[in-house]
């Protein structure tokens, strides 16, 4: 079985932990581990390989996290713009042997009951082998109004009667009682060819456009497949549910009591964490005075609380969120407000991931900006120049190979160098350990967009 | 009239805004202004000069803030160790012309009704001229159990019957109803000689020890008077209330309905601030979603709140406090917990004031530390060396005069220099504008105590 992982998701449901450049599925929510990593590890119990569909920003996040799990052979397809799930799955399936059994999974959900999940996957595989399109119907535990439902043809039946939209509260309560309604988990299993033939039947234009896009795509061995922007936009945007599942008569549902959660808000995250004797999540930075049943996230500063009950505190280097846990669905209102204010806080985290490593802005003023830059072993930044800022680099760990103009030289720990305005330069780590430098930018303008890339290892020049 | 300002106070009642190195009275609580500044300005309506009693740490904070108000002629007396209010007042009065009318005031209280206060001060001056020891009795507005009371001899009488300790709730309620009980504000007015002669009568040992301490003190014109540590410890510690006021028969009370508050906790601070239409204090960093009646302090990061009512959030660069406003008296429990953990967060703020300016730690790790250093015009740091760290300095604003070994040279904006481990060096600002540098320390140990001062302008060598 192959695990087709969809990495979409704008990433603001768990703001300020998640941002569009560090969406929920890649954020280190579980002792430094992400949902994405949990997903690939869980599915690797049944799947031998991974195929990742993501955008260019998320490519390096996904690649790094797969490599951290020792998975270096995964295939990638990069969408220049998202067109919902059906085109993503179609583009992937068109790249596969038609007989491949594909497990489509989002990367931002948790599954607690691993053994049960494995059983369910094996049953799905059987059904997929018999040319079915298999959905996983999560046994509902509450009258949830935030999910779509799948109605089975009787209790514990694998035959699907219909897909239904997010219900209102009263309807959801009826569904919960009836016993043959399941949450639509967004997990699917089928042969590549079954999906493609059903897609051809019900959304032929999408299939044709996807084929055309793939024919034009940049497709070099060992590199991610890169779809052209115009080709991608020519594919009709639609979900797999609308485009295929709700229409096909080959759909089956596997009832799945697998401890599934989509972690749609902080209160669901709270219930995933271990708690101390007061019902607070375990956090060494938390100084709790008469406080209980609260989720206190944050690893840098001391967080003192007094007389709190069922509260949510999310502390990040550049933004703080405080709310009752029961109001955590309303985070979207904060995100909307930030969007209206034109704030970049919904997009950019303090530590920004780049293909070559990370940078963190430690202080930013009109006249200067201070960054910590970490370059991964064997990586280098683009050959670049800036028109408005000079840069001072102090190496604090590792050895930097620095290009300034025509000179190339080493800068060692406790040594520094200087890049004048307008000078072409490059920072490289040829070593075996991470290179850490402190950068002080001085100039009339220190925005990230003052960068002219002359040459780049990562398609950004 | 002379304003004798007492700057004591450990400074942790408003943690994390106030710390022992940035106590409440000096913290920029009011649009960048401090209670200390408010106090000197308010009292300058009646007082022509200031005499400050403080410790060495607070001396520069007080001096800077006085200078910011254009008061450059103030006299200072520095206590190496606090011995409560009576010795501080005695040491100051011994330095004054005996006929001077002294207004003793704490520096960490607010007075809202300025006109009423001025009237009360003028009445106090009259009584002081007639050789009385004048106290200011605040008309109580609630059955407060946190203050001592003064009982007057009937309503609106200026004769004092007795001083009483902090009462229990029931007693406080009786006091409130009776009409002739007042809060003891800690503000006093008298001739220097009246106080000293009454002190000699009731606490003769204290007066003698104070005289001796003063005779030994370092007392150079234009410099603060510095009392010797042993001499200071030889003075019996006591409050002015116990040492003199409760015993003397020259005590008067001026009933004072002056809008007084000692800002003993964040909820009293909340009521001092202007509020928006939702009852939140005005804070441009606050993104309020359905939140009301809350105090949200913090000027650096975005602070998003949802569905809060009567809550307190205090956001500082290195520590965060969240509590119901009604629990703000329990901040002391947090401080006790931090003390138990041996945390320096109760003492050191992120931006530390020094006689020459400030430094702020922006990042601190095992291998390096990053600071923003601001040197005031005309000031210089000590001539110093470090045994465990090298320093890289990048000037971002102003011009630095740098001494390294025997060399003295200028470092201009966008220039940098390097101080090797063990090398004697000095940073100086000879210019007219603040000098701002970014410092990157690299070494095996970057603690503040790795400093050997060879020479210093500020008595620290």
């Amino acid at each position: 079985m192959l695990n087709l992982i969809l990495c979409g998701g704008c990433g603001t449901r768990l703001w300020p932990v998640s941002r569009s450049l560090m969406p929920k599925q890649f954020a280190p929510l579980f002792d430094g581990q992400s949902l994405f990593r949990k997903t690939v590890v869980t599915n690797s119990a049944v799947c031998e390989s991974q195929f990742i569909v993501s955008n260019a920003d998320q490519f390096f996040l996904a690649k790094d996290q797969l490599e951290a799990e020792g998975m270096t052979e995964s295939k990638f397809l990069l969408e220049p713009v998202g067109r919902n799930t059906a085109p993503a799955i179609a583009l992937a399936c068109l790249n596969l042997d038609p007989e491949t059994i594909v497990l489509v999974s989002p990367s931002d959900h948790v599954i607690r009951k691993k053994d049960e999940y494995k059983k369910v996957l094996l049953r799905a595989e059987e059904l997929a082998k018999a040319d079915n399109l298999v959905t996983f119907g999560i046994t509902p535990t509450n009258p949830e109004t935030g999910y779509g439902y799948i109605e089975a043809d009787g209790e514990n039946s694998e035959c699907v009667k219909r897909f239904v939209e997010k219900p209102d509260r009263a309807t959801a309560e009826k569904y919960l009682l009836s016993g043959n309604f399941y949450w639509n988990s967004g997990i699917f299993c089928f042969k590549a060819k079954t999906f493609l033939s059903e897609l051809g039947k019900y959304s032929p234009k999408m299939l044709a456009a996807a084929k055309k896009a793939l024919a034009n795509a940049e497709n070099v061995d060992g590199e991610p497949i890169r779809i052209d922007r115009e080709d991608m936009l020519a594919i009709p945007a639609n979900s797999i549910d609308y485009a295929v599942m709700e229409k096909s008569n080959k759909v089956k549902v596997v009832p799945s009591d697998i401890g599934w959660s989509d972690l749609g808000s902080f209160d669901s995250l709270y219930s995933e964490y271990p708690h101390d004797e007061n019902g607070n999540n375990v956090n060494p930075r938390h100084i709790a005075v008469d406080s209980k049943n609260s989720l206190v996230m944050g690893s840098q500063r001391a967080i003192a609380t007094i007389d709190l009950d069922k509260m949510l505190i999310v502390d990040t280097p550049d933004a703080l969120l405080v709310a009752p846990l029961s109001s955590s669905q309303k985070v979207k209102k904060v995100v909307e407000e930030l969007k209206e204010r034109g704030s970049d806080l919904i997009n950019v985290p303090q530590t920004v991931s780049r293909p070559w490593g990370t940078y963190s802005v430690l202080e930013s003023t009109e006249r200067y900006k201070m960054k910590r830059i970490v370059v991964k072993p064997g990586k280098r930044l683009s050959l670049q120049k800036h028109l408005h800022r000079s840069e001072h680099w102090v190496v604090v760990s590792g050895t930097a190979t620095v290009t300034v103009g025509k000179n190339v030289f080493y800068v060692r720990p406790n040594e520094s160098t200087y890049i004048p305005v307008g000078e072409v330069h490059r920072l490289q780590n040829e070593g075996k350990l991470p290179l850490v430098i402190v950068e002080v930018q001085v100039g009339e303008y220190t925005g990230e967009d003052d960068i002219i890339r002359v040459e780049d290892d990562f398609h950004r020049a």
Side-chain angles (χ1 to χ4, degrees), chain A:
Chain A
M1 215 191 293
L2 173 137
N3 189 190
L4 169 55
I5 304 174
L6 306 179
C7 292
C10 61
T12 47
R13 289 170 86 186
L14 294 184
W15 186 92
V17 167
S18 73
R19 319 267 173 115
S20 63
L21 289 185
M22 178 47 79
K24 184 178 104 181
Q25 61 269 29
F26 296 113
L29 292 170
F30 299 93
D31 280 331
Q33 235 202 3
S34 69
L35 286 167
F36 178 85
R37 282 178 70 170
K38 276 181 170 275
T39 299
V40 294
V41 170
T42 302
N43 290 342
S44 69
V46 184
C47 300
E48 304 87 42
S49 58
Q50 295 80 34
F51 193 116
I52 318 289
V53 180
S54 76
N55 65 40
D57 282 336
Q58 295 169 339
F59 165 48
F60 294 99
L61 289 169
K63 191 160 176 274
D64 285 354
Q65 297 199 355
L66 283 167
E67 283 174 5
E69 295 293 348
M71 297 170 184
T72 52
E73 301 294 306
S74 317
K75 245 190 139 160
F76 284 88
L77 184 142
L78 305 189
E79 299 176 315
V81 53
R83 302 296 280 162
N84 211 328
T85 47
I89 296 165
L91 288 165
C93 286
L94 287 167
N95 264 287
L96 300 172
D97 179 319
E99 297 296 331
T100 312
I101 305 282
V102 179
L103 174 70
V104 180
S105 69
S107 51
D108 58 351
H109 300 173
V110 284
I111 288 158
R112 268 186 307 271
K113 302 181 183 170
K114 299 277 190 296
D115 291 342
E116 194 58 39
Y117 181 51
K118 200 169 167 182
K119 275 183 217 159
V120 156
L121 285 180
L122 294 175
R123 175 63 190 143
E125 189 177 23
E126 282 174 23
L127 291 167
K129 277 181 180 161
D131 287 328
N132 292 295
L133 300 175
V134 185
T135 62
F136 295 76
I138 307 298
T139 318
T141 51
N142 59 295
E144 177 66 51
T145 58
Y147 306 141
Y149 284 70
I150 300 168
E151 185 181 4
D153 197 12
E155 260 188 78
N156 290 317
S157 163
E158 287 176 342
C159 293
V160 172
K161 213 167 175 182
R162 58 175 179 137
F163 283 75
V164 287
E165 301 276 325
K166 294 175 185 173
D168 59 24
R169 179 83 187 184
T171 313
E173 276 167 6
K174 264 187 269 167
Y175 290 174
L176 181 62
L177 288 173
S178 85
N180 52 343
F181 280 83
Y182 300 97
W183 293 337
N184 186 354
S185 63
I187 311 173
F188 305 99
C189 187
F190 38 67
K191 277 188 207 157
K193 70 173 187 189
T194 315
F195 174 76
L196 290 172
S197 84
E198 290 297 284
L199 183 69
K201 217 178 282 177
Y202 302 109
S203 300
K205 281 186 191 163
M206 185 186 291
L207 183 61
K211 280 182 179 169
K212 188 178 164 226
L214 207 59
N216 282 341
E218 199 183 318
N219 194 344
V220 180
D221 226 29
E223 287 288 310
I225 301 162
R226 292 172 192 271
I227 307 292
D228 175 79
R229 189 177 173 84
E230 289 306 310
D231 287 341
M232 194 76 209
L233 286 169
I235 309 177
N238 209 351
S239 72
I240 179 173
D241 299 282
Y242 283 131
V244 179
M245 292 296 169
E246 297 188 3
K247 292 165 180 160
S248 169
N249 52 18
K250 294 192 168 179
V251 178
K252 298 281 177 198
V253 58
V254 180
S256 306
D257 181 9
I258 55 177
W260 173 90
S261 166
D262 76 338
L263 293 187
S265 63
F266 283 108
D267 54 352
S268 53
L269 193 59
Y270 169 75
S271 55
E272 297 298 322
Y273 284 142
H275 300 136
D276 64 19
E277 69 278 14
N278 297 313
N280 301 312
N281 66 306
V282 178
N283 183 344
R285 306 300 288 161
H286 183 194
I287 298 136
V289 173
D290 302 332
S291 295
K292 57 189 181 182
N293 308 316
S294 293
L295 175 57
V296 176
M297 297 179 74
S299 58
Q300 300 202 321
R301 302 177 314 147
I303 305 172
T305 66
I306 305 169
D307 289 339
L308 297 194
D309 188 15
K310 302 195 187 81
M311 288 291 290
L312 165 67
I313 298 172
V314 187
D315 183 41
T316 72
D318 54 0
L320 169 67
L321 172 69
V322 180
L325 258 178
S326 59
S327 298
S328 55
Q329 290 283 0
K330 288 169 82 175
V331 166
K332 58 176 180 287
K333 288 202 175 186
V334 174
V335 172
E336 280 159 20
E337 174 66 29
L338 286 167
K339 210 173 268 176
E340 256 173 51
R341 294 189 189 189
S343 170
D344 230 14
L345 285 172
I346 53 175
N347 301 317
V348 186
Q350 194 218 22
T351 293
V352 177
S353 292
R354 291 286 190 224
W356 43 260
T358 61
Y359 73 79
S360 311
V361 177
L362 300 174
E363 179 155 275
S364 183
T365 74
E366 279 209 3
R367 303 180 65 95
Y368 65 95
K369 190 190 256 184
M370 223 177 308
K371 283 183 178 177
R372 183 198 336 104
I373 294 176
V374 181
V375 186
K376 289 185 277 196
K379 302 288 182 189
R380 59 182 186 176
L381 285 69
S382 64
L383 187 68
Q384 59 185 236
K385 59 185 176 182
H386 313 290
L387 297 181
H388 300 285
R389 67 179 190 246
S390 304
E391 294 178 343
H392 300 256
W393 294 347
V394 180
V395 173
V396 294
S397 189
T399 297
T401 306
V402 174
T403 305
V404 180
K406 293 192 169 158
N407 299 319
V408 181
F409 51 93
Y410 291 128
V411 186
R412 297 168 188 84
N414 196 27
E415 292 179 353
S416 67
T417 191
Y418 172 67
I419 319 292
V421 178
E423 188 69 273
V424 169
H425 61 279
R426 176 170 240 164
L427 178 63
Q428 179 171 8
N429 180 5
E430 295 182 283
K432 302 288 177 211
L433 297 172
L435 164 67
V436 184
I437 75 162
V438 172
E439 176 182 83
V440 184
Q441 303 176 354
V442 185
E444 56 198 0
Y445 176 72
T446 57
E448 291 303 324
D449 55 347
D450 174 23
I451 183 166
I452 297 170
R453 291 198 177 95
V454 181
E455 196 214 292
D456 186 37
D457 292 348
F458 310 106
H459 288 79
R460 302 173 304 170

